Coordinates of all heavy atoms in Angstrom, one line a residue:
M29 N -82.6 -128.3 7.9 CA -82.7 -129.0 6.6 C -81.4 -129.7 6.2 O -80.3 -129.1 6.4 CB -83.1 -127.9 5.6 CG -83.3 -128.5 4.2 SD -84.1 -127.4 3.1 CE -82.7 -126.8 2.2
I30 N -81.5 -130.9 5.8 CA -80.4 -131.7 5.4 C -80.4 -131.8 3.8 O -81.4 -132.1 3.3 CB -80.4 -133.1 6.0 CG1 -80.3 -133.0 7.5 CG2 -79.2 -133.9 5.4 CD1 -80.5 -134.3 8.2
V31 N -79.3 -131.5 3.2 CA -79.2 -131.6 1.8 C -78.3 -132.8 1.5 O -77.2 -133.0 1.9 CB -78.5 -130.3 1.2 CG1 -78.4 -130.5 -0.3 CG2 -79.3 -129.1 1.5
L32 N -78.9 -133.7 0.7 CA -78.2 -135.0 0.3 C -77.7 -134.9 -1.1 O -78.3 -134.1 -1.9 CB -79.1 -136.2 0.5 CG -79.6 -136.5 1.9 CD1 -80.7 -137.6 1.9 CD2 -78.5 -136.8 2.8
P33 N -76.7 -135.7 -1.5 CA -76.3 -135.7 -2.9 C -77.4 -136.2 -3.8 O -78.3 -136.9 -3.4 CB -75.1 -136.7 -2.9 CG -74.7 -136.8 -1.5 CD -75.9 -136.5 -0.6
E34 N -77.4 -135.8 -5.0 CA -78.4 -136.2 -6.0 C -78.2 -137.6 -6.6 O -79.0 -138.1 -7.2 CB -78.5 -135.1 -7.1 CG -79.0 -133.8 -6.7 CD -79.0 -132.8 -7.8 OE1 -78.9 -133.2 -9.0 OE2 -79.2 -131.6 -7.6
R35 N -76.9 -138.1 -6.4 CA -76.6 -139.4 -7.0 C -76.0 -140.3 -5.9 O -75.5 -139.9 -4.9 CB -75.5 -139.2 -8.1 CG -75.9 -138.2 -9.2 CD -76.7 -138.9 -10.3 NE -77.0 -138.0 -11.4 CZ -78.2 -137.6 -11.6 NH1 -79.2 -138.0 -10.9 NH2 -78.4 -136.8 -12.6
C36 N -76.0 -141.6 -6.2 CA -75.4 -142.6 -5.4 C -73.9 -142.3 -5.2 O -73.3 -141.7 -6.1 CB -75.6 -143.9 -6.1 SG -74.7 -145.3 -5.4
S37 N -73.4 -142.6 -4.0 CA -72.0 -142.2 -3.7 C -71.0 -143.2 -4.3 O -69.8 -143.0 -4.2 CB -71.8 -142.2 -2.2 OG -72.6 -141.2 -1.6
V38 N -71.4 -144.3 -4.9 CA -70.5 -145.3 -5.4 C -69.9 -144.9 -6.7 O -70.5 -144.5 -7.6 CB -71.2 -146.7 -5.5 CG1 -70.3 -147.7 -6.2 CG2 -71.7 -147.1 -4.1
R39 N -68.6 -145.2 -6.8 CA -67.8 -145.0 -8.1 C -67.2 -146.4 -8.3 O -66.5 -147.0 -7.5 CB -66.7 -144.0 -7.9 CG -65.8 -144.0 -9.1 CD -64.8 -142.9 -9.0 NE -65.4 -141.8 -9.8 CZ -64.6 -140.8 -10.3 NH1 -63.4 -140.7 -9.9 NH2 -65.2 -139.9 -11.1
Q40 N -67.6 -147.0 -9.5 CA -67.1 -148.3 -9.8 C -66.5 -148.3 -11.2 O -67.1 -147.7 -12.2 CB -68.3 -149.3 -9.8 CG -68.0 -150.7 -9.8 CD -69.2 -151.6 -9.5 OE1 -70.4 -151.2 -9.7 NE2 -69.0 -152.8 -9.1
N41 N -65.3 -148.9 -11.4 CA -64.6 -148.9 -12.6 C -64.4 -147.5 -13.2 O -64.4 -147.3 -14.4 CB -65.3 -149.8 -13.7 CG -65.5 -151.2 -13.2 OD1 -64.6 -151.8 -12.5 ND2 -66.6 -151.8 -13.6
G42 N -64.1 -146.6 -12.3 CA -63.8 -145.2 -12.7 C -65.0 -144.4 -13.1 O -64.8 -143.3 -13.6
R43 N -66.2 -144.9 -12.9 CA -67.4 -144.2 -13.3 C -68.3 -144.0 -12.1 O -68.6 -145.0 -11.4 CB -68.1 -145.0 -14.4 CG -67.3 -145.1 -15.7 CD -67.9 -145.9 -16.8 NE -69.2 -145.5 -17.1 CZ -70.1 -146.1 -17.8 NH1 -69.8 -147.3 -18.3 NH2 -71.3 -145.7 -18.1
D44 N -68.9 -142.8 -12.0 CA -69.9 -142.5 -11.0 C -71.2 -143.2 -11.3 O -71.6 -143.2 -12.5 CB -70.1 -141.0 -10.8 CG -68.9 -140.3 -10.3 OD1 -68.0 -141.0 -9.6 OD2 -68.7 -139.1 -10.5
C45 N -71.9 -143.7 -10.3 CA -73.2 -144.2 -10.5 C -74.2 -143.0 -10.8 O -74.1 -142.0 -10.1 CB -73.7 -144.9 -9.2 SG -75.4 -145.6 -9.3
I46 N -75.0 -143.2 -11.7 CA -75.9 -142.1 -12.2 C -77.3 -142.2 -11.5 O -78.1 -141.3 -11.6 CB -76.1 -142.1 -13.7 CG1 -76.7 -143.4 -14.2 CG2 -74.8 -141.8 -14.4 CD1 -77.2 -143.4 -15.6
L47 N -77.5 -143.3 -10.7 CA -78.8 -143.5 -10.1 C -79.0 -142.6 -8.8 O -78.0 -142.3 -8.1 CB -79.0 -144.9 -9.7 CG -79.0 -145.9 -10.8 CD1 -79.1 -147.3 -10.3 CD2 -80.2 -145.6 -11.8
P48 N -80.2 -142.2 -8.5 CA -80.5 -141.4 -7.3 C -80.3 -142.3 -6.1 O -80.5 -143.5 -6.1 CB -81.9 -140.9 -7.5 CG -82.6 -142.0 -8.4 CD -81.5 -142.4 -9.3
P49 N -80.0 -141.6 -4.9 CA -79.9 -142.4 -3.7 C -81.2 -143.0 -3.2 O -82.2 -142.3 -3.4 CB -79.3 -141.4 -2.7 CG -79.7 -140.1 -3.2 CD -79.8 -140.2 -4.7
E50 N -81.1 -144.2 -2.6 CA -82.3 -144.8 -2.0 C -82.1 -145.0 -0.5 O -83.0 -145.2 0.2 CB -82.6 -146.1 -2.7 CG -83.0 -145.9 -4.2 CD -83.3 -147.2 -4.8 OE1 -84.2 -147.9 -4.4 OE2 -82.6 -147.6 -5.8
F51 N -80.8 -145.0 -0.1 CA -80.5 -145.3 1.3 C -79.4 -144.3 1.8 O -78.5 -144.0 1.1 CB -79.9 -146.7 1.5 CG -80.9 -147.8 1.1 CD1 -80.9 -148.3 -0.1 CD2 -81.8 -148.3 2.1 CE1 -81.8 -149.3 -0.5 CE2 -82.7 -149.3 1.7 CZ -82.7 -149.8 0.5
V52 N -79.6 -143.9 3.1 CA -78.5 -143.1 3.8 C -77.8 -144.2 4.6 O -78.4 -145.0 5.3 CB -79.1 -142.0 4.7 CG1 -78.0 -141.4 5.5 CG2 -79.8 -141.0 3.9
I53 N -76.5 -144.2 4.5 CA -75.6 -145.2 5.2 C -74.9 -144.5 6.3 O -74.3 -143.4 6.2 CB -74.6 -145.8 4.3 CG1 -75.3 -146.4 3.0 CG2 -73.8 -146.9 5.0 CD1 -74.5 -146.4 1.8
S54 N -75.0 -145.1 7.5 CA -74.4 -144.5 8.7 C -73.8 -145.6 9.5 O -74.1 -146.8 9.4 CB -75.4 -143.7 9.5 OG -76.4 -144.5 10.0
V55 N -72.9 -145.3 10.4 CA -72.3 -146.2 11.3 C -72.7 -145.7 12.7 O -72.5 -144.6 13.1 CB -70.7 -146.2 11.2 CG1 -70.1 -147.0 12.3 CG2 -70.3 -146.6 9.9
K56 N -73.4 -146.7 13.4 CA -73.8 -146.4 14.8 C -72.8 -147.0 15.8 O -72.6 -148.2 15.8 CB -75.2 -147.0 15.1 CG -76.3 -146.3 14.3 CD -77.6 -146.9 14.7 CE -78.7 -146.2 14.0 NZ -80.1 -146.7 14.4
S57 N -72.1 -146.1 16.5 CA -71.1 -146.6 17.5 C -71.5 -146.1 18.9 O -72.5 -145.5 19.0 CB -69.7 -146.1 17.1 OG -69.7 -144.7 17.3
S58 N -70.7 -146.5 19.9 CA -71.1 -146.1 21.2 C -71.1 -144.6 21.5 O -71.8 -144.2 22.4 CB -70.1 -146.8 22.2 OG -68.8 -146.4 21.9
D59 N -70.3 -143.9 20.7 CA -70.3 -142.4 20.9 C -71.1 -141.6 20.0 O -71.0 -140.4 19.9 CB -68.9 -141.9 21.0 CG -68.1 -142.2 19.7 OD1 -68.5 -143.0 18.9 OD2 -67.1 -141.5 19.4
G60 N -71.9 -142.2 19.1 CA -72.8 -141.5 18.2 C -73.1 -142.2 16.9 O -72.7 -143.4 16.8
E61 N -73.7 -141.5 16.0 CA -74.0 -142.1 14.7 C -73.3 -141.2 13.6 O -73.5 -139.9 13.7 CB -75.5 -142.2 14.5 CG -75.9 -142.8 13.2 CD -77.4 -143.0 13.0 OE1 -78.1 -142.6 13.9 OE2 -77.8 -143.6 12.0
Y62 N -72.6 -141.8 12.7 CA -71.9 -141.0 11.7 C -72.4 -141.3 10.3 O -72.4 -142.5 9.9 CB -70.4 -141.3 11.7 CG -69.8 -141.1 13.1 CD1 -69.7 -142.1 14.0 CD2 -69.3 -139.8 13.4 CE1 -69.2 -141.9 15.3 CE2 -68.8 -139.6 14.7 CZ -68.7 -140.7 15.6 OH -68.2 -140.4 16.8
M63 N -72.9 -140.3 9.6 CA -73.4 -140.5 8.2 C -72.1 -140.7 7.3 O -71.2 -140.0 7.4 CB -74.2 -139.4 7.7 CG -74.7 -139.6 6.3 SD -75.7 -138.1 5.7 CE -75.3 -138.2 4.0
V64 N -72.2 -141.8 6.5 CA -71.0 -142.1 5.6 C -71.3 -141.7 4.2 O -70.4 -141.3 3.5 CB -70.7 -143.6 5.8 CG1 -69.6 -144.0 4.9 CG2 -70.4 -144.0 7.2
G65 N -72.5 -142.0 3.7 CA -72.8 -141.7 2.3 C -74.2 -142.1 2.0 O -75.0 -142.4 2.9
V66 N -74.5 -142.0 0.7 CA -75.8 -142.5 0.2 C -75.6 -143.5 -0.9 O -74.6 -143.4 -1.6 CB -76.7 -141.3 -0.3 CG1 -77.1 -140.4 0.8 CG2 -76.0 -140.5 -1.4
T67 N -76.5 -144.4 -1.1 CA -76.4 -145.4 -2.2 C -77.7 -145.8 -2.8 O -78.8 -145.6 -2.2 CB -75.7 -146.6 -1.6 OG1 -75.4 -147.5 -2.7 CG2 -76.5 -147.4 -0.6
C68 N -77.7 -146.3 -4.0 CA -78.8 -146.8 -4.6 C -79.0 -148.3 -4.2 O -78.1 -148.8 -3.6 CB -78.7 -146.7 -6.2 SG -77.4 -147.7 -6.8
D69 N -80.1 -148.9 -4.5 CA -80.4 -150.2 -4.0 C -79.4 -151.2 -4.7 O -78.9 -152.2 -4.1 CB -81.8 -150.6 -4.4 CG -82.2 -152.0 -3.8 OD1 -81.9 -152.2 -2.6 OD2 -82.8 -152.8 -4.5
G70 N -79.0 -151.0 -5.9 CA -78.1 -151.8 -6.6 C -76.7 -151.9 -6.1 O -76.0 -152.9 -6.2
H71 N -76.3 -150.8 -5.4 CA -74.9 -150.8 -4.8 C -74.9 -150.9 -3.3 O -73.9 -150.8 -2.6 CB -74.2 -149.4 -5.1 CG -73.8 -149.4 -6.6 ND1 -74.3 -148.4 -7.4 CD2 -73.0 -150.1 -7.3 CE1 -73.8 -148.6 -8.6 NE2 -73.0 -149.6 -8.6
K72 N -76.1 -151.2 -2.7 CA -76.2 -151.3 -1.2 C -75.2 -152.4 -0.6 O -74.5 -152.1 0.3 CB -77.6 -151.6 -0.8 CG -77.9 -151.7 0.6 CD -79.4 -152.0 0.9 CE -79.6 -152.3 2.3 NZ -81.0 -152.7 2.6
K73 N -75.2 -153.6 -1.2 CA -74.4 -154.6 -0.7 C -72.9 -154.3 -0.9 O -72.1 -154.5 0.0 CB -74.7 -155.9 -1.4 CG -73.9 -157.1 -1.0 CD -74.3 -158.4 -1.7 CE -73.5 -159.5 -1.2 NZ -73.7 -160.8 -1.9
L74 N -72.5 -153.8 -2.1 CA -71.2 -153.4 -2.3 C -70.7 -152.3 -1.4 O -69.6 -152.4 -0.8 CB -71.0 -152.9 -3.8 CG -69.7 -152.4 -4.2 CD1 -68.7 -153.5 -4.3 CD2 -69.8 -151.6 -5.5
F75 N -71.5 -151.3 -1.1 CA -71.1 -150.3 -0.2 C -71.0 -150.8 1.2 O -70.0 -150.5 1.9 CB -72.2 -149.2 -0.2 CG -71.7 -147.8 0.3 CD1 -71.7 -146.8 -0.6 CD2 -71.3 -147.6 1.6 CE1 -71.2 -145.5 -0.2 CE2 -70.8 -146.4 2.0 CZ -70.8 -145.3 1.1
G76 N -71.9 -151.7 1.7 CA -71.8 -152.3 3.0 C -70.5 -153.1 3.1 O -69.8 -153.1 4.2
E77 N -70.1 -153.9 2.1 CA -68.9 -154.7 2.2 C -67.7 -153.8 2.2 O -66.7 -154.1 3.0 CB -68.8 -155.6 0.9 CG -69.8 -156.7 0.9 CD -69.9 -157.4 -0.4 OE1 -69.2 -157.0 -1.4 OE2 -70.6 -158.5 -0.5
R78 N -67.6 -152.7 1.5 CA -66.5 -151.8 1.5 C -66.4 -151.1 2.8 O -65.3 -150.9 3.3 CB -66.7 -150.8 0.3 CG -65.6 -149.7 0.3 CD -64.3 -150.3 -0.2 NE -63.4 -149.2 -0.3 CZ -62.1 -149.3 0.0 NH1 -61.6 -150.5 0.3 NH2 -61.3 -148.3 -0.1
L79 N -67.5 -150.7 3.4 CA -67.5 -150.1 4.7 C -67.0 -151.0 5.8 O -66.2 -150.6 6.6 CB -68.9 -149.6 5.0 CG -69.1 -148.5 6.1 CD1 -68.2 -147.3 5.8 CD2 -70.5 -148.1 6.2
G80 N -67.4 -152.3 5.7 CA -66.8 -153.3 6.6 C -65.3 -153.4 6.5 O -64.6 -153.5 7.6
L81 N -64.8 -153.4 5.3 CA -63.4 -153.5 5.1 C -62.7 -152.2 5.7 O -61.7 -152.3 6.4 CB -63.1 -153.6 3.6 CG -61.6 -153.5 3.2 CD1 -60.9 -154.8 3.7 CD2 -61.5 -153.5 1.7
L82 N -63.3 -151.1 5.5 CA -62.7 -149.8 6.1 C -62.7 -149.8 7.6 O -61.8 -149.3 8.2 CB -63.4 -148.6 5.5 CG -63.2 -148.3 4.0 CD1 -64.2 -147.2 3.6 CD2 -61.8 -147.9 3.7
Q83 N -63.7 -150.5 8.2 CA -63.8 -150.6 9.6 C -62.7 -151.5 10.1 O -62.0 -151.2 11.1 CB -65.1 -151.2 10.1 CG -66.2 -150.1 10.1 CD -67.6 -150.7 10.6 OE1 -67.9 -151.9 10.3 NE2 -68.3 -149.9 11.3
R84 N -62.4 -152.6 9.4 CA -61.3 -153.5 9.8 C -60.0 -152.8 9.7 O -59.1 -153.1 10.5 CB -61.4 -154.8 9.0 CG -62.5 -155.7 9.4 CD -62.5 -157.1 8.7 NE -62.7 -157.0 7.3 CZ -63.8 -157.0 6.7 NH1 -64.9 -156.9 7.4 NH2 -63.9 -157.0 5.4
E85 N -59.8 -151.9 8.7 CA -58.6 -151.2 8.5 C -58.4 -150.1 9.5 O -57.3 -149.5 9.7 CB -58.5 -150.6 7.1 CG -58.4 -151.7 6.0 CD -58.4 -151.0 4.6 OE1 -58.7 -149.8 4.5 OE2 -58.2 -151.8 3.7
G86 N -59.5 -149.7 10.2 CA -59.4 -148.6 11.2 C -59.7 -147.2 10.6 O -59.6 -146.2 11.3
S87 N -60.1 -147.2 9.3 CA -60.4 -145.9 8.7 C -61.8 -145.3 9.0 O -62.0 -144.1 8.9 CB -60.3 -146.0 7.1 OG -59.1 -146.5 6.8
V88 N -62.7 -146.2 9.4 CA -64.0 -145.8 9.8 C -64.3 -146.4 11.2 O -63.8 -147.5 11.5 CB -65.1 -146.5 8.8 CG1 -66.5 -146.2 9.2 CG2 -64.8 -145.9 7.4
P89 N -65.0 -145.6 12.1 CA -65.2 -146.1 13.4 C -66.0 -147.4 13.5 O -66.8 -147.7 12.6 CB -66.2 -145.0 14.0 CG -66.0 -143.8 13.1 CD -65.6 -144.3 11.8
Q90 N -65.6 -148.2 14.5 CA -66.3 -149.5 14.7 C -67.7 -149.2 15.1 O -68.0 -148.3 15.8 CB -65.6 -150.3 15.8 CG -64.2 -150.8 15.4 CD -64.2 -151.7 14.2 OE1 -65.1 -152.6 14.1 NE2 -63.4 -151.5 13.2
G91 N -68.6 -150.1 14.7 CA -70.0 -150.0 15.1 C -70.9 -150.7 14.0 O -70.4 -151.2 13.0
S92 N -72.2 -150.7 14.2 CA -73.1 -151.3 13.3 C -73.3 -150.4 12.1 O -73.5 -149.2 12.2 CB -74.4 -151.7 14.0 OG -75.1 -150.6 14.4
I93 N -73.4 -151.0 10.9 CA -73.7 -150.3 9.7 C -75.2 -150.3 9.5 O -75.8 -151.3 9.6 CB -73.0 -151.0 8.5 CG1 -71.5 -151.0 8.7 CG2 -73.3 -150.3 7.2 CD1 -70.7 -151.9 7.7
H94 N -75.7 -149.1 9.3 CA -77.1 -148.9 9.3 C -77.5 -148.3 8.0 O -76.9 -147.3 7.5 CB -77.5 -147.9 10.5 CG -79.0 -147.7 10.5 ND1 -79.9 -148.6 10.9 CD2 -79.7 -146.6 10.3 CE1 -81.1 -148.1 10.9 NE2 -81.0 -146.9 10.5
F95 N -78.5 -148.9 7.3 CA -79.1 -148.4 6.1 C -80.5 -147.8 6.4 O -81.4 -148.6 6.8 CB -79.2 -149.5 5.0 CG -77.9 -150.0 4.5 CD1 -77.2 -151.0 5.2 CD2 -77.3 -149.4 3.4 CE1 -76.0 -151.4 4.8 CE2 -76.0 -149.9 3.0 CZ -75.4 -150.9 3.6
E96 N -80.7 -146.5 6.1 CA -82.0 -145.9 6.3 C -82.6 -145.6 5.0 O -82.0 -144.8 4.2 CB -81.8 -144.6 7.2 CG -83.1 -143.9 7.4 CD -84.0 -144.6 8.4 OE1 -83.5 -145.3 9.3 OE2 -85.3 -144.5 8.3
Q97 N -83.7 -146.2 4.7 CA -84.3 -145.9 3.3 C -84.9 -144.5 3.3 O -85.5 -144.0 4.2 CB -85.5 -146.9 3.1 CG -86.0 -146.8 1.7 CD -86.9 -148.0 1.3 OE1 -87.3 -148.8 2.1 NE2 -87.1 -148.1 0.0
L98 N -84.6 -143.9 2.2 CA -85.1 -142.5 1.9 C -86.5 -142.6 1.5 O -86.9 -143.5 0.7 CB -84.2 -141.8 0.9 CG -82.8 -141.5 1.3 CD1 -82.0 -141.0 0.1 CD2 -82.8 -140.4 2.4
K99 N -87.3 -141.6 1.9 CA -88.7 -141.5 1.5 C -88.9 -140.3 0.6 O -88.8 -139.2 1.2 CB -89.6 -141.5 2.7 CG -89.5 -142.8 3.5 CD -90.2 -142.7 4.8 CE -90.0 -143.9 5.6 NZ -89.2 -143.7 6.7
P100 N -89.0 -140.4 -0.7 CA -89.2 -139.2 -1.5 C -90.4 -138.4 -1.2 O -91.5 -139.0 -0.9 CB -89.2 -139.8 -2.9 CG -89.6 -141.2 -2.8 CD -89.2 -141.6 -1.4
V101 N -90.3 -137.1 -1.2 CA -91.4 -136.3 -1.0 C -91.5 -135.3 -2.2 O -90.5 -134.7 -2.5 CB -91.3 -135.5 0.3 CG1 -92.4 -134.5 0.5 CG2 -91.2 -136.5 1.5
G102 N -92.6 -135.1 -2.8 CA -92.8 -134.2 -3.8 C -93.9 -133.2 -3.5 O -94.8 -133.5 -2.8
T103 N -93.7 -132.0 -4.0 CA -94.7 -130.9 -3.8 C -94.9 -130.3 -5.2 O -94.1 -130.2 -6.0 CB -94.2 -129.9 -2.8 OG1 -93.0 -129.3 -3.3 CG2 -94.0 -130.5 -1.4
S104 N -96.1 -129.8 -5.3 CA -96.5 -129.0 -6.5 C -96.6 -127.5 -6.0 O -97.1 -127.2 -5.0 CB -97.8 -129.4 -7.0 OG -97.7 -130.8 -7.5
C105 N -96.1 -126.7 -6.9 CA -96.2 -125.3 -6.6 C -97.7 -124.9 -6.9 O -98.2 -125.2 -7.9 CB -95.3 -124.5 -7.5 SG -95.3 -122.7 -7.2
I106 N -98.3 -124.2 -5.9 CA -99.7 -123.8 -6.1 C -99.7 -122.3 -6.5 O -99.1 -121.5 -5.8 CB -100.5 -124.0 -4.7 CG1 -100.4 -125.5 -4.4 CG2 -101.9 -123.5 -4.9 CD1 -101.0 -125.7 -3.0
K107 N -100.3 -122.1 -7.6 CA -100.4 -120.7 -8.1 C -101.8 -120.3 -8.1 O -102.7 -121.1 -8.5 CB -99.8 -120.6 -9.5 CG -98.3 -121.0 -9.6 CD -97.8 -120.9 -11.0 CE -96.4 -121.3 -11.1 NZ -95.8 -121.2 -12.4
S108 N -102.1 -119.1 -7.7 CA -103.5 -118.7 -7.7 C -103.5 -117.2 -8.1 O -102.6 -116.5 -8.0 CB -104.1 -118.8 -6.3 OG -103.4 -118.0 -5.4
D109 N -104.6 -116.9 -8.6 CA -104.9 -115.5 -9.0 C -105.6 -114.8 -7.8 O -106.5 -115.4 -7.2 CB -105.8 -115.6 -10.2 CG -106.1 -114.2 -10.8 OD1 -105.8 -113.2 -10.2 OD2 -106.6 -114.1 -11.9
P110 N -105.2 -113.6 -7.5 CA -105.8 -113.0 -6.3 C -107.3 -112.8 -6.5 O -108.1 -112.8 -5.5 CB -105.2 -111.6 -6.3 CG -103.9 -111.8 -7.1 CD -104.1 -112.9 -8.0
D111 N -107.8 -112.8 -7.7 CA -109.3 -112.8 -7.9 C -110.0 -114.1 -7.6 O -111.2 -114.1 -7.4 CB -109.6 -112.4 -9.4 CG -109.1 -111.0 -9.8 OD1 -109.0 -110.1 -8.9 OD2 -108.8 -110.8 -11.0
D112 N -109.2 -115.2 -7.5 CA -109.8 -116.5 -7.2 C -110.0 -116.7 -5.6 O -110.7 -117.6 -5.2 CB -108.9 -117.6 -7.7 CG -108.9 -117.7 -9.2 OD1 -109.9 -117.1 -9.8 OD2 -108.0 -118.2 -9.8
L113 N -109.3 -115.8 -4.9 CA -109.4 -115.9 -3.4 C -110.8 -115.6 -2.9 O -111.4 -114.6 -3.4 CB -108.4 -115.1 -2.7 CG -106.9 -115.4 -3.1 CD1 -106.0 -114.4 -2.4 CD2 -106.5 -116.8 -2.7
I114 N -111.3 -116.3 -1.9 CA -112.6 -116.1 -1.3 C -112.3 -115.6 0.1 O -111.6 -116.1 0.9 CB -113.4 -117.4 -1.2 CG1 -113.6 -118.0 -2.6 CG2 -114.7 -117.1 -0.5 CD1 -114.2 -119.3 -2.6
Q115 N -113.0 -114.5 0.4 CA -112.9 -113.9 1.7 C -114.0 -114.4 2.5 O -115.2 -114.4 2.1 CB -112.8 -112.4 1.6 CG -111.6 -111.9 1.0 CD -111.2 -110.5 1.5 OE1 -112.0 -109.9 2.3 NE2 -110.1 -110.0 1.0
L116 N -113.7 -114.8 3.7 CA -114.8 -115.2 4.7 C -115.0 -114.2 5.7 O -114.2 -113.5 6.2 CB -114.4 -116.5 5.4 CG -114.1 -117.7 4.4 CD1 -113.6 -118.9 5.2 CD2 -115.4 -118.1 3.7

C-alpha cells in the first residue's frame, strides 16, 4: 500500500497549496523511476518547469518527467445486522 500526501506538494509565495493531488510526478531514468512529489492540475506546469531546472542543476537525476494521473477510489462502509444475514 502506498500512502500519498493529502495536499499538492507545491508551496508558492510562502503558502502551501490546499488542493488535493491529481498527479504523481516521477523521473524515469535509465536506472529506474523516482517519485518526486504530487501536484494538483493548476500547479502541474509550474512543478514540471521547476523539476527541469533542478535536473539542469544536477539536483535531480536526468530523465523524462512523467505525470501519472491519480484515480480516486471511494468505498462505503457496509454495516449489517446479524439478523439480516441469509443462510444458504
Side-chain angles (χ1 to χ4, degrees):
M29 179 164 99
I30 298 174
V31 179
L32 297 173
E34 293 181 12
R35 305 271 183 252
C36 172
S37 297
V38 174
R39 172 175 258 201
Q40 197 171 19
N41 300 325
R43 296 175 55 191
D44 292 334
C45 179
I46 61 170
L47 298 175
E50 295 178 63
F51 298 92
V52 173
I53 307 150
S54 61
V55 174
K56 291 184 178 184
S57 66
S58 59
D59 61 339
E61 184 173 5
Y62 304 93
M63 183 180 149
V64 179
V66 294
T67 186
C68 63
D69 189 46
H71 289 120
K72 181 180 173 184
K73 182 178 178 185
L74 176 70
F75 203 115
E77 290 170 354
R78 177 72 177 143
L79 198 52
L81 177 65
L82 291 171
Q83 283 181 322
R84 287 190 293 280
E85 292 175 353
S87 301
V88 173
Q90 293 296 315
S92 63
I93 299 170
H94 181 70
F95 292 88
E96 179 72 32
Q97 188 166 13
L98 292 171
K99 297 173 183 108
V101 176
T103 61
S104 296
C105 181
I106 300 172
K107 296 180 182 180
S108 66
D109 185 348
D111 295 332
D112 293 338
L113 300 176
I114 300 172
Q115 293 207 358
L116 300 175

